[in-house]
Amino acid sequence: MAIALLALPLAACVPAPSPTSTPTGEDVAAELEPYYTQSLVWEDCGGGMQCTTATAPLDWSAPDASDDIELALVRHTASGEREGSLFVNPGGPGASGYNFVHDSLDFAVSEDLQSRFDVIGWDPRGVGRSTAVDCYDGPELDEFLFGFPEAAVGTDAYAQEVTASAKAFADACLERSGELLQFIDTESTVNDLDLLRALVGDADLNYLGYSYGSDIGAHYAERYPDKVGRVVLDGATDSSLSLFDVNLAQTQAFGEALRAYLEDCLDSSDCPFRGTVDDAIGQIRDLLDALDQAPLRAEDGRQLTSAYLGTAVQSALYDEGYWRYLTDAFTEVRQGRSDTAFLLADAYVDRDEDGSYRSNLQEAFIAITCVDYPIETDAAELARQRDLLAEADPISEPEDLDALGDVVCQQWPYGFRGEVETVSADGAAPILVVGTTGDPATPYPWAEALADQLASGVLLTYVGEGHIAYDEGDPCIVGAVDEYLIDGTVPQDGLVCDPTS
């Protein structure tokens, strides 16, 4: 799961009067010396992996006056002739790069990349094993994510109920996580990544970023263009967009993905819908309305509402391989059962069968979003945005959606401090931008926009459904990416990989 978000513009570090040389021979400000000269101690952590922990300043703008945070790393050392290190990030924001490499190495990178690189994953600040955001325990998080307001949408009582829930969550995050919430922004993560690059002894950054991970990579190139090695950004984001623009584009793209699923479903004998795609969308709306009137109770006591089923739908649309599970979920719900719907929804939010959450993905996602974007509060603009979202969403009507905006971020203790703007990374080595035509989470136009904004951007297109391209295993995509990362061979700008042609 990987929904892409934007990043802050990156401010330069305070210059040092007496620079200190790092292990890679670079000069850094004196106040950064303790961080850039620390030694990483790698230890065996199972599965042929080595793990370590690095220390970074909480506040990069005042490193000598701030507390420290910890960053957890894992690496798989090159099995063949080593080219260097390759940092990998799976996105989110809030997804664990540590788990991505430790538990899903073959999914993260090909065997060829494993042979030539030390593949390194890390948990960005606020995430997982690093100094992490903490807000709610399992039952509280269930209620916060999926609780159904008692008051009707559009009423004052509804607004008060939703606002109170948002404030309680934000207050809990502040109580448990403290000042970390102010410095969890993408700008700080980019500075962390440069520190990690230096600590593993690489003069340039080799990087493969998926989804929001592409945002980290693009902003790294903007902040440190002279340290860009071979960088690939798959499922790319467009940093010139506002938070609403992101939400609107994703809503439209998920709507298109739902239509693609239904076209496929209606051609099969086991599809629970009948008629045209528009007919099926109407039947899904009826199903969601029925769940809100009479939720289905699961064996663990949870009630399947439209919020849960909507999350299940979104979860399945990330990958064409999951469409069959979505068909199962719809079929079961019509029969009064909820097993597969809860399975899909729980997978999306990283919830375990015992009611606990395997990671802090949801909390970190919210925390990073709230400081990476300016938050809209104008009532008239929020009403306009509500209408546009309802128009873009095939399974929603204006009366289904409120016009309150991002209520959680409106209650957040810390706000956005920068500007939303494009990235160009002038002077950087070629950066390979990969987009999938049917990607619902990071829509293809974002890849086109990023490749155009980057001075050295090279666009690679995969014709297909689902989020990100590299994991599809298409020889054209994997070959182009691997050849670039291993040999530096830059593919032709505009190369299109169409497995159906």
Side-chain angles (χ1 to χ4, degrees), residues 301-317:
R302 287 186 294 170
Q303 296 191 54
L304 185 75
T305 62
S306 63
Y308 271 113
L309 184 56
T311 301
V313 172
Q314 190 171 19
S315 176
L317 293 179

Side-chain angles (χ1 to χ4, degrees), residues 105-115 119 470 478 482 486:
L105 180 64
D106 291 335
F107 182 85
V109 297
S110 69
E111 291 185 1
D112 286 342
L113 294 182
Q114 295 174 37
S115 173
V119 181
Y470 187 83
V478 175
D482 284 5
I486 294 172

Side-chain angles (χ1 to χ4, degrees), residues 130 144 188 241 280 357 378 381 391 395 417 450 463 468 470:
S130 295
F144 174 72
S188 297
L241 299 179
Y357 283 74
D378 179 75
E381 175 60 19
E391 182 180 352
I395 57 176
R417 296 173 292 160
L450 180 61
V463 179
I468 71 177
Y470 187 83

Side-chain angles (χ1 to χ4, degrees), residues 269-323:
S269 60
D270 60 349
C271 185
F273 306 109
R274 293 292 180 267
T276 66
V277 169
D278 286 337
D279 292 334
I281 286 174
Q283 294 162 36
I284 293 174
R285 285 178 178 168
D286 292 342
L287 201 59
L288 293 169
D289 290 341
L291 285 175
D292 286 337
Q293 296 298 319
L296 297 178
R297 185 172 294 277
E299 291 183 3
D300 62 3
R302 287 186 294 170
Q303 296 191 54
L304 185 75
T305 62
S306 63
Y308 271 113
L309 184 56
T311 301
V313 172
Q314 190 171 19
S315 176
L317 293 179
Y318 267 80
D319 191 318
E320 190 174 1
Y322 291 127
W323 286 4

Side-chain angles (χ1 to χ4, degrees), residues 29 151 181 195 206 224 353:
L181 299 183
L195 169 67
N206 298 317
Y224 300 102
E353 291 182 359

